[in-house]
Amino acid sequence: MMRRHKLAIGLMAFALGASAAQAGETEKGHALAVKLCALCHVIDNKNPFGGIGSTPSFPLMAKYAEMFRPRIRTFPERRPHAQFQWDVIEADIAALETYIMSLAGKQ
């Protein structure tokens, strides 16, 4: 019985740690979105009239995740992003993806 409690407590601690790590990734992704993306994309309800009409909003990308995940992961190489020559690393792209996907269902 005691062993089960310890296992349950361990799993809960792991889940809370993972949630905290994901929250940190989401915050980092939001900061990157504000810095790099908000000029052309609507990133959340804080800039609903921002962006360029021809660019997908981040909530839309989250809604259609299956279609947009590969595009998010390769955005630095895609037009028009490639011309900006941002200094983003894989961890930055992963944080942006985490933030964008956190918007699912928040439209």
Side-chain angles (χ1 to χ4, degrees):
M1 181 85 155
M2 183 63 122
R3 221 165 122 162
R4 285 187 188 166
H5 289 322
K6 286 182 181 180
L7 177 62
I9 290 170
L11 289 172
M12 286 176 20
F14 177 77
L16 290 174
S19 295
Q22 187 169 9
E25 276 293 286
T26 301
E27 289 176 24
K28 179 183 175 184
H30 181 262
L32 286 166
V34 169
K35 180 180 175 184
L36 302 175
C37 311
L39 185 62
C40 299
H41 294 271
V42 172
I43 58 169
D44 57 22
N45 62 3
K46 292 180 181 128
N47 75 331
F49 302 107
I52 298 171
S54 62
T55 61
S57 70
F58 281 18
L60 181 81
M61 289 185 210
K63 183 176 181 177
Y64 297 103
E66 291 296 316
M67 180 172 68
F68 281 104
R69 273 189 194 271
R71 296 179 66 83
I72 293 166
R73 292 174 182 160
T74 59
F75 86 88
E77 301 144 22
R78 296 178 168 276
R79 290 184 352 180
H81 305 101
Q83 73 184 6
F84 299 131
Q85 305 208 352
W86 290 318
D87 189 21
V88 294
I89 59 174
E90 254 182 72
D92 296 336
I93 296 168
L96 277 168
E97 180 179 4
T98 299
Y99 169 67
I100 293 168
M101 294 305 135
S102 77
L103 300 173
K106 294 184 181 181
Q107 285 188 356

